[in-house]
Amino acid sequence: MNPRRSAAPVLAAALLALAGCASTGTGPSTPTAASTASTASTAPSPATVTVDEHADRTTLKAAVGTTVTLALHSTYWSAATSSAPDVLAPEGSPTTAPSPSCRPGGGCGTVTASFTARAPGTARLTATRTSCGEALNCPPEQRGYDVTVEVTG
């Protein structure tokens, strides 16, 4: 049997498996309509946009009604705040989810906060941290997080 011919299906399967694992949230996701809970209504639910540290110092656009969720991957981050709550209002309380497999002081886990786009305008989501690991101060360029959200009608 030809070794190249028998390796092709294995290689194809491996590439498909890697492609499935490659969705790591490495940048701002595109808005997607959430499924509706009611079967009687066919109106779509508002969109949700999730961003993480890869969206730092960027601008995103969101329509009124969109939920913007910010998930920062270190428990050393403060909860994000909105510069204009009348435009981008906090939704519930921020959550901190430490990773159970993290060593003490590692800061492994996420700090997540959600905001609802309420009115047209511009708001900035900001968060800060001083530590980038156990006894490791962050350099100035890694101490702040800032995303500008332009809300459209």
Side-chain angles (χ1 to χ4, degrees):
M1 175 179 246
N2 184 342
R4 286 187 190 191
R5 187 171 281 173
S6 64
V10 174
L11 180 59
L15 289 174
L16 286 173
L18 286 174
C21 294
S23 178
T24 61
T26 57
S29 63
T30 56
T32 58
S35 63
T36 58
S38 170
T39 57
S41 173
T42 59
S45 297
T48 299
V49 176
T50 300
V51 295
D52 62 13
E53 46 277 297
H54 295 94
D56 189 17
R57 296 179 184 95
T58 64
T59 298
L60 66 99
K61 294 184 186 300
V64 169
T66 300
T67 298
V68 177
T69 299
L70 174 60
L72 297 174
H73 295 92
S74 170
T75 58
Y76 292 126
W77 285 106
S78 66
T81 59
S82 172
S83 65
D86 55 323
V87 174
L88 199 60
E91 186 179 284
S93 298
T95 60
T96 301
S99 174
S101 62
C102 188
R103 71 186 186 296
C108 308
T110 58
V111 176
T112 304
S114 293
F115 301 84
T116 301
R118 298 245 186 245
T122 301
R124 291 177 45 221
L125 296 179
T126 57
T128 59
R129 66 180 177 176
T130 55
S131 180
C132 284
E134 185 177 11
L136 177 64
N137 287 330
C138 290
E141 68 275 5
Q142 293 180 8
R143 291 183 183 181
Y145 178 87
D146 187 345
V147 168
T148 301
V149 181
E150 294 177 359
V151 178
T152 59

